[in-house]
Amino acid sequence: MKRLFLFCLTVLFFSLAQAQEKPGTLSVIPHVGVSVANLTDFNWTEGMRLVDHFGSISSNYKPGFTGGVQMEYQATEVFSASAALLYSMQGTKYPDFMVDNEDGTAEGVANLRMDLHYLNVPVMLNAYVLPGLALKTGLQIAFLLDGRLKQESTPVTIDEEGAKTYGETEDKETKWNDLKSFDISIPIGLSYEFENVILDARYNLGITKIHSDYDWRNSFFTFTVGYRFVVN
C-alpha cells in the first residue's frame, strides 16, 4: 500500500509538473514592475552626533521602477532557461534626522537616499512544479549606469534653551564616481502564468561589494507583470 501511494504521488507530481509551453518553444516576454531595494551595511550616520537619536540610524528599503524584456527557451516539459535585459532603480533611503555640529548649530537632513541605476542581465533556470507555477534561480550580472547620493539639507540654529531656528532648505546631490561598475547577485523567485500573463516575484542577494572601501551590497526585491509572445 505504501509503495502504491508513493507511485501514485510520483505520477501525480510529474503529470502536474508541466510548463505552459511545449519543449523547444522560444518566447519573448516584456515585463514591467517595481523594485524594492536596500544596501546591506550602509551605515551612513555611524559616528555622527544625532539630535534626538541614540547611535546610528538604519537604512530603509526604497521603491523604484524596473522593466525590460526576457527570452525563455522551454528545454523539457518541466525545465526552461531564460535570459533578460532589465533596467532597475535600486539603492536605499534613510528616515529624516538632525546632525548636531556641537557649536550651537545643527543640520537637518531629509529625504536622504542613494539612487543607483542598473542594467541587469539575469540568467535563470526555471522549474515548472505545477501548471503555470515556476520556481527559479540563477545568476545576475549588473552594470551600473549611474549612482548619486541625494538629500535635502536645512541649517538649524539651537539657542541655550534648546529652541531651534530653521534656515532655508537646500537640495544637495553628489555623483559617486568610485562605485564599482559591475555587480553580481543571486536571484531566487517564483512566477505564475495564466492566459500568457506572467506575475513574477524575486529576491536578489548581492554577492559582490558595490564600493571598494565599504562592505555595501545590493539587496532587493522585484515584482513584475509580463506577457508571453511565442516565437516558435
Side-chain angles (χ1 to χ4, degrees), residues 101-144:
N101 297 327
E102 302 184 61
D103 60 356
T105 66
E107 179 185 10
V109 178
N111 200 22
L112 172 66
R113 64 197 185 277
M114 174 72 83
D115 288 343
L116 302 177
H117 302 265
Y118 279 99
L119 184 63
N120 293 329
V121 184
V123 179
M124 309 285 287
L125 177 65
N126 312 296
Y128 286 85
V129 295
L130 290 171
L133 179 65
L135 303 180
K136 53 190 61 185
T137 188
L139 192 68
Q140 178 168 282
I141 301 172
F143 302 92
L144 181 66

